[in-house]
Amino acid sequence: MKRNRRKEKEYNHKENQELADLGGKDQTPWDILEPNEPERMTAEKLNLCGDILTPSRNVSLPLENVALNPSLKITSSFKKTKRPALLQSDEISLRAQGYSKDQSPSVTGVMDTSELCPFSKPEMALTEAFTLLADDDWKKKIEGLNFIRRLSAHHGTILTAKLRETSIAVAQEVKNLRSGVSRAAVVCLGDLFTYLKKSMDQELDYTVKILLHKAGESNTFIREEVDKALKAMVNNVTPARAVCSLIDGGQSISDATF
């Protein structure tokens, strides 16, 4: 009996010792899922950019982290959908910029020569110019005259096809009672002489007569522009036609005075 009790005590003591050893090694499920030190170092290297987690360069994530962290998978798919959206917005802005270049701004004064840019559709611009000149609004008339100047500077062949209509429409605005419109029309005639040159030979009789009549105005600015337009006419058209138009125009003015 004593021997049996001693064996039983030894067995219980040995069992208790094994349980004590195992108790220090037990791990909870959270301990198993907790990343080790290298994995924690890797996770700390992730950069936060807005709402997106993007790993920094030269960082390799363990497969266990990728499997346990679904946000990393969402990040890659989110990036793929976001980049085309940005490219699409850039394309829209570029198209808007291109469209704005083709549109002429509303100009209420005489444009400088350096501002005379070409049209992307000159035929439509010529039609629009005639529409603006026929309008009663003086601002639209000046804008139409600027259209004609731009066409003469960059699209002479388009303007030459309707040169008679253009010359008459511009010359009519020289007689406009509003000084701003009249001055813009005189400048426009000067550009027609400058850029179209001898193509204006057939239009001299009518245009020069109106310019000479306008030269007697009291407005100093208009007189200066008339002088510039007449000089442009003499320097660019056929000399014989220029002389004849000046003589005939001066004679008609003197006859009207007496």
Side-chain angles (χ1 to χ4, degrees):
M1 293 292 293
K2 292 181 180 180
R3 187 176 298 176
N4 292 335
R5 289 178 180 177
R6 186 182 302 172
K7 288 183 179 180
E8 186 177 354
K9 288 181 180 180
E10 291 178 357
Y11 178 80
N12 292 334
H13 177 73
K14 189 175 182 179
E15 186 177 1
N16 292 333
Q17 186 67 30
E18 290 177 357
L19 291 174
D21 294 339
L22 291 174
K25 296 181 181 180
D26 285 343
Q27 293 180 338
T28 64
W30 296 108
D31 295 334
I32 296 174
L33 293 176
E34 183 178 0
N36 54 25
E37 187 64 23
E39 293 173 344
R40 188 180 296 109
M41 294 287 292
T42 305
E44 288 176 356
K45 292 181 180 180
L46 296 177
N47 298 325
L48 186 61
C49 300
D51 295 331
I52 307 172
L53 285 173
T54 56
S56 59
R57 295 183 179 179
N58 301 326
V59 174
S60 59
L61 294 176
L63 295 177
E64 292 80 3
N65 282 3
V66 175
L68 294 174
N69 193 352
S71 63
L72 297 178
K73 297 181 180 179
I74 299 174
T75 300
S76 60
S77 62
F78 183 78
K79 283 184 179 180
K80 291 180 181 179
T81 57
K82 187 176 182 180
R83 286 179 182 175
L86 292 175
L87 292 176
Q88 186 178 3
S89 63
D90 291 340
E91 291 175 358
I92 293 174
S93 61
L94 287 175
R95 286 197 298 268
Q97 292 176 3
Y99 178 79
S100 64
K101 288 181 180 179
D102 292 339
Q103 300 299 317
S104 174
S106 179
V107 179
T108 58
V110 178
M111 296 177 65
D112 189 74
T113 305
S114 60
E115 299 175 347
L116 301 178
C117 54
F119 288 102
S120 59
K121 297 180 180 180
E123 294 86 357
M124 295 180 61
L126 181 58
T127 303
E128 180 67 16
F130 287 132
T131 303
L132 292 171
L133 289 175
D135 199 286
D136 293 334
D137 188 353
W138 65 273
K139 294 181 180 179
K140 292 184 178 181
K141 287 182 179 293
I142 293 179
E143 188 175 358
L145 292 168
N146 287 329
F147 270 43
I148 299 297
R149 294 181 62 200
R150 293 171 61 185
L151 288 168
S152 65
H154 301 284
H155 311 284
T157 55
I158 301 297
L159 197 58
T160 303
K162 294 187 177 182
L163 190 55
R164 176 55 60 90
E165 300 176 36
T166 304
S167 300
I168 293 175
V170 175
Q172 286 293 330
E173 298 304 329
V174 174
K175 299 185 293 183
N176 195 296
L177 297 179
R178 182 176 285 272
S179 60
V181 178
S182 179
R183 178 172 175 264
V186 173
V187 174
C188 186
L189 280 180
D191 285 345
L192 292 177
F193 294 134
T194 300
Y195 296 112
L196 301 184
K197 299 185 184 300
K198 294 182 180 180
S199 298
M200 289 291 294
D201 284 355
Q202 303 298 324
E203 315 301 329
L204 291 180
D205 293 339
Y206 182 66
T207 55
V208 171
K209 185 185 298 184
I210 290 181
L211 286 175
L212 290 175
H213 186 272
K214 201 68 177 178
E217 292 258 339
S218 59
N219 191 314
T220 305
F221 296 104
I222 292 181
R223 289 205 311 268
E224 291 177 354
E225 297 298 340
V226 169
D227 291 340
K228 293 178 182 179
L230 290 175
K231 289 180 181 178
M233 183 270 297
V234 172
N235 292 331
N236 292 283
V237 303
T238 303
R241 294 300 303 267
V243 172
C244 293
S245 62
L246 288 172
I247 294 174
D248 294 341
Q251 185 65 37
S252 63
I253 292 176
S254 61
D255 293 342
T257 303
F258 295 104

